Amino acid sequence: MYDQLREDTLYIMLYAAVTMLAMLASGYLLFRRGNAFAPDITPPARLRRWVAAFLAVFVVNHIWYMGPTFFLTSDEDIMMTDLIGGLIDSITFFPLAIIVLFTMLQDRRRPLWPVAVMVVPLVVGMVWSVATHSEALIPVLIGYLLLMSTGLIIYMVRALRQYGCWLRDNYVDLEHKEVWQSFVVLAIILLAFCIYALSGEGLSYEYLLQLIVIVLIGYLLWRVETLSDLSISQQQSLSVDLIEPVSQDRPALATLPAKNIGLLLKQHCIDTQLYLQHDLTVIQLAKAIGTNRTYLYQYFSSQDTTYNAYINNLRINHFVSLYRESIATKCNFSAKQLAIDSGYRSYSTFALAFKQRMGQSVTDWMRNTSK
């Protein structure tokens, strides 16, 4: 197969282009301070650094594998180069891929030592293979890697569900915060390895692998640039022009019954239309009524709802009120503008929340209401 690759000019160009693309992407993430793709979003710096490291390692590995692909002719040299490459992958590529996935989840900072524990058998196996010049352990190591990937998929499904619940408990505007797409990264990485480990040799496989890498690089760039840094939003203070200062004479909310929390929410969230503020977090709402998020969690739980559902309910009621007022006064309007006036940045987000609440699409509801 390597003889075919050396004679395939198009493949050589594609291989070099993919390497250069990864190098440029890594350099961009490391050295560019601004966000070229989404200027209004501040992505997590930690995720940016880890993805840059992951892409840099990919470049190094891609250059390493140029040896057996384009230059080496001896079977012994090719085997040893592949084994050393596998060792490098075990130490760098696989751990960094897992760390990138973990870093996308911002509900808490996950410890990284389990990643090291997971890859230790791979590293030990590859060290033994390199030391003995033997590929005897490779099938076993491939099986272990597939088992590890399966376990990681199960963990990520669970972690993504927990992360989604955490978002709904703390944020009302979920644009640029959800990371279910990170599961796509894991799927692409696993797919690429399965093709590498289980498929037969051939030019079509080599081309497909390079195309998968291009998709992966593009996805990682998009994900990093469009994911908001939630540590910033949790630290932001309330907008002084929208929030009434908390009275020093107000009794501690922790000592009040749940019905008083509802009363304070009405006074300081509903009556002031605080719910129209973009990216209003549960911490900010708690500050507005003089409590902490723990007591708000307890209150929303007692009402069989979540923070996200509570604010969306108020916003949708506001939309309905604006719509009926516009119909009554025969003013020109659009559903998109009314949604923006109701606190939503994105009409698609509003449409999804509206359908979940009303049981029908915005268009159908407006058509039925106007009859």
Side-chain angles (χ1 to χ4, degrees), residues 3 7 23 92 111 136 150 173 181 191 200 205 218 231 273 296 301 304 308 312 321 328 337 349 361:
D3 292 337
E7 297 173 358
M23 185 183 302
T92 59
T150 302
D173 300 304
Q181 300 95 337
L191 175 62
Y205 146 71
S231 64
Q273 295 187 338
L296 272 185
S301 179
D304 196 25
N308 181 274
N312 271 315
S321 177
Q337 185 58 50
T349 300
S361 67

Side-chain angles (χ1 to χ4, degrees), residues 233-246:
S233 65
Q234 292 185 62
Q235 296 170 4
Q236 287 174 337
S237 62
L238 295 173
S239 301
V240 294
D241 58 332
L242 292 177
I243 306 293
E244 174 190 345
V246 177

Side-chain angles (χ1 to χ4, degrees), residues 25-45 48 224-225 232:
S26 178
Y28 167 80
L29 293 176
L30 278 177
F31 302 113
R32 182 180 174 89
R33 294 185 178 180
N35 189 335
F37 295 88
D40 58 329
I41 295 175
T42 302
R48 197 180 185 96
V224 170
E225 298 285 69
I232 294 178

